[in-house]
Amino acid sequence: MKLDQRDKQILALLQLQADHPLADLAEKTHLSPSACWRRIKRLEEEGYIARRAALLDRKKVGLPTTVYVMVRTANHSLEWLERFRALVADTPEIVEMHRLTGDIDYLLKIVLPDVESLDLVYKKLVAKLQFNDISSYISMEMFKDTTVLPLSNA
């Protein structure tokens, strides 16, 4: 189903604050509270709202360090990929995994208390699977961090 302007407004507001009061959402979208609630339920049922979560302050919870890890492998079998996926899923410090085109096969985003902790994650990875190359890049400074998706083309 195509999103209309009110659906996009609701999604935009919920992206900024998932527990936005219903009455406030209804007023901002020029809907009655019941009509607004029905739209939110439909957006959830249709999968536009995948889940609601609290965004934590990484520094306050002791995870200020971000490391991007580029992985190359010569093994592109389905079995190897499934083992890699399971290993990544079993490593809570890895918060994102992407399969890429080009020279790099996979990109991992890892959050850690400090740079020294990277060695533990590295040793866990190489103990379980064979890699051609693992290169780490430490983020020195974050300029933008958002979970808000641009809905203008949705």
Side-chain angles (χ1 to χ4, degrees), residues 7-99:
D7 290 337
K8 289 179 184 180
Q9 285 178 310
I10 291 169
L11 291 173
L13 291 166
L14 289 175
Q15 282 190 101
L16 295 173
Q17 182 183 347
D19 63 347
H20 217 95
L22 180 60
D24 189 38
L25 284 173
E27 182 180 327
K28 288 180 178 177
T29 57
H30 305 289
L31 292 167
S32 70
S34 59
C36 186
W37 181 83
R38 283 193 301 274
R39 280 181 182 253
I40 292 169
K41 287 298 166 203
R42 180 181 51 80
L43 291 167
E44 288 175 337
E45 289 166 5
E46 292 176 3
Y48 289 100
I49 299 172
R51 68 180 187 274
R52 297 184 194 205
L55 300 178
L56 306 181
D57 183 308
R58 288 189 25 214
K59 288 182 182 175
K60 287 190 178 188
V61 298
L63 297 168
T65 305
T66 303
V67 179
Y68 293 93
V69 175
M70 312 298 181
V71 175
R72 287 189 181 112
T73 182
N75 190 338
H76 296 279
S77 71
L78 188 55
E79 177 191 342
W80 187 94
L81 176 58
E82 290 306 318
R83 289 178 57 213
F84 187 42
R85 283 184 181 168
L87 178 57
V88 168
D90 191 43
T91 308
E93 296 87 353
I94 301 173
V95 296
E96 288 184 30
M97 173 186 171
H98 301 267
R99 188 165 57 94

Side-chain angles (χ1 to χ4, degrees), residues 58 63-68 109-112 137-139 142:
R58 288 189 25 214
L63 297 168
T65 305
T66 303
V67 179
Y68 293 93
K109 180 180 178 182
I110 303 176
V111 296
L112 302 159
Y137 300 87
I138 299 164
S139 173
M142 185 183 329

